[in-house]
Amino acid sequence: NAGVTQTPKFRVLKTGQSMTLLCAQDMNHEYMYWYRQDPGMGLRLIHYSVGEGTTAKGEVPDGYNVSRLKKQNFLLGLESAAPSQTSVYFCASIRGFRTEAFFGQGTRLTVV
Amino acid sequence: DQQVKQNSPSLSVQEGRISILNCDYTNSMFDYFLWYKKYPAEGPTFLISISSIKDKNEDGRFTVFLNKSAKHLSLHIVPSQPGDSAVYFCAATSSGNTPLVFGKGTRLSVIA
């Protein structure tokens, strides 16, 4: 049982390049989230989804786009990467609100 | 404005003693609270939760206390072990489609 899997684990981008981070969960969870973790800032919500085909903005959505075409996958896109997007990105899925969130192992992204 | 605050960035405790991690929240709509533990290079993992209808929840060495009037919760770890050394995040949510809101985390070091 894989749980939540993030791809890739590491990536270095040049400023202006684009990329997509993939999050896949095998627990049939409805809700999926993308967070970023920066030193001293904790986990900040970028975008989230409450079901297949739905997305919503979180606390820090600028510069990111997301899609949830299939229930098990939640994609995070960076159209034109900036050094400020250097961070560790975590995906999480939740069966329902007021239940625990399961996190992936993280993607460490460096934008140079 | 931060809705979930962990005002102590770090805490050092001797092995065998009690660790107390604190968390304050400002949003009175929050009614479910969780603690997560995070080791380096791993995703956060769920530790313990508490609903606002309770003021205490125990799970082995871990106990969470909730003081609704003070909008304060705390995590007690007794006895503390070196393997407890990690970053601890407090998180909160409310009914409806409200994503988890995290604090900035407290780094616990348990010294043998």
Side-chain angles (χ1 to χ4, degrees), chain A residues 12-81:
Chain A
V12 178
L13 281 181
K14 292 183 179 179
T15 298
Q17 285 185 318
S18 64
M19 79 163 293
T20 300
L21 283 67
L22 170 64
C23 177
Q25 53 99 358
D26 62 2
M27 296 171 284
N28 201 36
H29 287 172
E30 288 293 334
Y31 309 104
M32 296 186 75
Y33 304 148
W34 276 107
Y35 290 90
R36 60 178 287 175
Q37 184 192 13
D38 302 292
M41 299 299 291
L43 291 160
R44 293 183 293 170
L45 183 65
I46 305 170
H47 285 280
Y48 65 102
S49 168
V50 298
E52 181 178 316
T54 74
T55 62
K57 293 181 180 180
E59 180 186 356
V60 288
D62 294 342
Y64 305 95
N65 56 75
V66 288
S67 65
R68 183 101 181 266
L69 299 179
K70 293 183 179 180
K71 186 177 183 179
Q72 64 268 33
N73 295 336
F74 195 29
L75 279 63
L76 178 71
L78 287 75
E79 289 186 349
S80 180

Side-chain angles (χ1 to χ4, degrees), chain A residues 27 29 31 33 92-103, chain B residues 32 34-36 44-49 93 100:
Chain A
M27 296 171 284
H29 287 172
Y31 309 104
Y33 304 148
S93 74
I94 298 181
R95 174 172 47 84
F97 286 98
R98 294 209 192 91
T99 61
E100 64 182 276
F102 292 83
F103 282 83
Chain B
Y32 191 70
L34 307 91
W35 285 93
Y36 282 80
T45 55
F46 170 74
L47 194 56
I48 192 169
S49 63
T93 186
L100 282 175

Side-chain angles (χ1 to χ4, degrees), chain B residues 11-21 61-62 75-85 88 108-112:
Chain B
L11 174 68
S12 287
V13 172
Q14 278 198 312
E15 181 180 6
R17 307 293 288 267
I18 184 171
S19 294
I20 300 176
L21 293 90
R61 296 185 297 114
F62 303 92
L75 174 68
H76 292 210
I77 307 173
V78 183
S80 301
Q81 300 173 353
D84 296 328
S85 296
Y88 290 79
L108 173 66
S109 299
V110 180
I111 304 162

Side-chain angles (χ1 to χ4, degrees), chain B:
Chain B
D1 188 31
Q2 264 197 295
Q3 297 186 74
V4 177
K5 301 178 183 179
Q6 294 178 257
N7 293 320
S8 298
S10 62
L11 174 68
S12 287
V13 172
Q14 278 198 312
E15 181 180 6
R17 307 293 288 267
I18 184 171
S19 294
I20 300 176
L21 293 90
N22 294 305
C23 177
D24 297 294
Y25 61 96
T26 59
N27 189 339
S28 58
M29 298 300 292
F30 287 148
D31 59 5
Y32 191 70
F33 306 89
L34 307 91
W35 285 93
Y36 282 80
K37 180 167 72 172
K38 185 184 179 305
Y39 293 118
E42 294 184 10
T45 55
F46 170 74
L47 194 56
I48 192 169
S49 63
I50 187 166
S51 165
S52 61
I53 62 174
K54 295 184 174 182
D55 54 17
K56 177 182 174 182
N57 189 27
E58 284 182 88
D59 184 1
R61 296 185 297 114
F62 303 92
T63 303
V64 56
F65 295 92
L66 175 62
N67 182 334
K68 289 185 290 293
S69 61
K71 294 191 178 70
H72 176 83
L73 62 155
S74 61
L75 174 68
H76 292 210
I77 307 173
V78 183
S80 301
Q81 300 173 353
D84 296 328
S85 296
V87 177
Y88 290 79
F89 290 101
C90 172
T93 186
S94 60
S95 59
N97 293 340
T98 307
L100 282 175
V101 178
F102 285 84
K104 293 186 177 182
T106 297
R107 182 178 302 278
L108 173 66
S109 299
V110 180
I111 304 162

Side-chain angles (χ1 to χ4, degrees), chain A residues 11 58 89:
Chain A
R11 185 73 185 269
Y89 292 85

